[in-house]
Amino acid sequence: MAESTQHVGNPWEGVAIAAVPDRLLAGDLVDEIEFLAARARSLGSAHANAMLAPLDLKVRSYSVLAVVCGGSEPSQRELADFLRLDPSQIVSLVDTLEQRGLVSRAADSRDRRSKVIRATAAGMELYQRAAAAVRTAENTSLAALDGPERDQLRVLLRKIAFG
Amino acid sequence: MAESTQHVGNPWEGVAIAAVPDRLLAGDLVDEIEFLAARARSLGSAHANAMLAPLDLKVRSYSVLAVVCGGSEPSQRELADFLRLDPSQIVSLVDTLEQRGLVSRAADSRDRRSKVIRATAAGMELYQRAAAAVRTAENTSLAALDGPERDQLRVLLRKIAFG
DNA sequence: CCATATAGTTGAGATTGTCAATGATAATTT
DNA sequence: AAATTATCATTGACAATCTCAACTATATGG
């Protein structure tokens, strides 16, 4: 405990991460990239969710907002494929974002089955703050890696996440 | 399509992976390591689950079996911390593995609250086959990476997954 | 025109995540 | 030693997520 009593309360400080005895690190699982990715992602999203909570977002809703704020005007189907979620989940995610006035559904002139999702001004504004929060969270999650290592990791993950 | 009509049916061939339009790859999300890890893991576990299905396992139950088969004789609490699952989830996972005769609960002589989980012979045997299936799945998931790249990725992920 | 496929939506059922409470035991304090 | 506090496995409740099967409206190909 620091001497200061002031309680700034960085949200990610509340994230509990249990230590793992060396004995368990001897198994084969720690050589499996998928397992490592799953654990890394679990730790990462715990931090990110904690940082996003004050903004009433989770990594889930944040990721939708992030794509939409990219300006690519995606359809819901495209959001589903990109985020690897079921189309029905996109419906409810866009529903709540739309109710909050962060996002809008517009008719697609070329395909009237499809809807174009766009960010509103409020959506863009909230996204800016959310992105900053996520960057902070990522920074703590990746504390063990220096800059070049993070770049390497990004490149490698991008290769397997997309063709 | 090959000329042969024989239908070997590698399970992972049934995994549908939708292509993503370049337009969406312009956003900021593809620079976020956590997002990339989430997508990579989603693709990976789809493949792995498909390969494990014939063995009546999922990545979930497989990961428990894998740790137990590492011979470290973990307690359920240790399994929970290692796999980042709630202790109550470990209870039901161990329950079904135990009912299938793959794993056993034994009293811990040094702490009678705790239980030591061990693999049975049948458990070890199934694990061997499951591990092979997972290796095959990982091989398809990581097709975009060569050997050295996979090693790099493993090292980087291990750094953030564990201290 | 007809058949087939696709986008968004709704709803159901299974799986997973989260959390609180409990009984047994351990560890710590008084 | 007794009392308090903490930890482990377990149970149960509830929310969130996943998965799938319909359905309507529209598009596309023959």
Side-chain angles (χ1 to χ4, degrees):
Chain A
M1 276 301 179
E3 55 192 359
S4 165
T5 329
Q6 70 179 328
H7 196 285
V8 193
N10 301 39
W12 47 269
E13 285 182 357
V15 178
I17 302 174
V20 165
D22 287 347
R23 186 162 39 91
L24 299 195
L25 296 178
D28 292 340
L29 252 197
V30 294
D31 289 331
E32 289 184 20
I33 287 177
E34 196 203 318
F35 165 70
L36 295 171
R39 219 187 117 95
R41 176 233 172 215
S42 170
L43 292 165
S45 65
H47 284 126
N49 275 327
M51 288 295 298
L52 286 171
L55 304 178
D56 250 300
L57 289 172
K58 297 185 183 181
V59 291
R60 220 24 149 25
S61 37
Y62 165 76
S63 68
V64 174
L65 189 59
V67 178
V68 171
C69 288
S72 53
E73 304 203 336
S75 71
Q76 296 187 192
R77 158 61 60 175
E78 288 171 330
L79 283 169
D81 292 341
F82 187 64
L83 300 174
R84 285 191 63 78
L85 297 174
D86 190 87
S88 63
Q89 297 181 275
I90 301 293
V91 170
S92 73
L93 283 165
V94 172
D95 274 353
T96 58
L97 290 178
E98 192 180 34
Q99 281 160 18
R100 290 177 63 182
L102 303 170
V103 136
S104 77
R105 276 186 245 241
D108 183 338
S109 49
R110 285 176 292 189
D111 185 341
R112 294 197 303 174
R113 292 170 302 180
S114 182
K115 301 184 181 175
V116 175
I117 313 301
R118 294 198 191 88
T120 65
M124 284 296 301
E125 193 190 310
L126 182 62
Y127 169 64
Q128 301 304 337
R129 291 196 286 153
V134 166
R135 273 190 298 271
T136 303
E138 188 164 281
N139 215 45
T140 20
S141 304
L142 304 184
L145 302 186
D146 60 27
E149 285 175 321
R150 295 181 195 195
D151 292 341
Q152 269 185 31
L153 181 55
R154 235 188 305 274
V155 169
L156 293 171
L157 284 176
R158 237 190 314 246
K159 281 193 185 180
I160 63 183
F162 303 97
Chain B
M1 275 302 177
E3 55 193 357
S4 163
T5 329
Q6 70 179 330
H7 195 285
V8 194
N10 301 42
W12 46 268
E13 285 182 357
V15 178
I17 303 174
V20 165
D22 288 346
R23 187 162 38 92
L24 298 196
L25 297 178
D28 292 339
L29 209 47
V30 295
D31 289 332
E32 288 184 20
I33 287 177
E34 197 204 318
F35 166 70
L36 295 171
R39 216 186 120 96
R41 177 236 174 209
S42 170
L43 292 164
S45 65
H47 284 127
N49 275 327
M51 288 295 299
L52 286 171
L55 304 178
D56 249 300
L57 289 172
K58 297 185 184 181
V59 291
R60 230 3 159 33
S61 37
Y62 164 77
S63 67
V64 174
L65 189 59
V67 178
V68 171
C69 287
S72 53
E73 306 202 334
S75 70
Q76 296 187 191
R77 157 62 59 175
E78 288 171 330
L79 284 169
D81 291 342
F82 187 65
L83 301 175
R84 283 193 62 78
L85 297 175
D86 191 88
S88 63
Q89 297 181 279
I90 301 292
V91 170
S92 73
L93 283 164
V94 172
D95 275 352
T96 58
L97 291 178
E98 190 179 37
Q99 280 160 19
R100 290 176 63 183
L102 303 170
V103 135
S104 77
R105 276 186 244 240
D108 183 338
S109 50
R110 284 177 294 188
D111 184 342
R112 295 197 303 176
R113 292 170 302 181
S114 180
K115 300 186 181 174
V116 175
I117 312 300
R118 293 197 192 87
T120 65
M124 284 296 301
E125 195 190 309
L126 181 62
Y127 169 64
Q128 301 303 336
R129 291 197 284 151
V134 166
R135 274 190 298 270
T136 303
E138 186 164 281
N139 215 44
T140 20
S141 304
L142 303 184
L145 302 185
D146 60 27
E149 285 175 321
R150 295 180 194 194
D151 293 340
Q152 271 184 31
L153 181 55
R154 235 187 305 273
V155 169
L156 293 170
L157 284 176
R158 238 191 311 248
K159 282 193 185 181
I160 62 183
F162 302 98

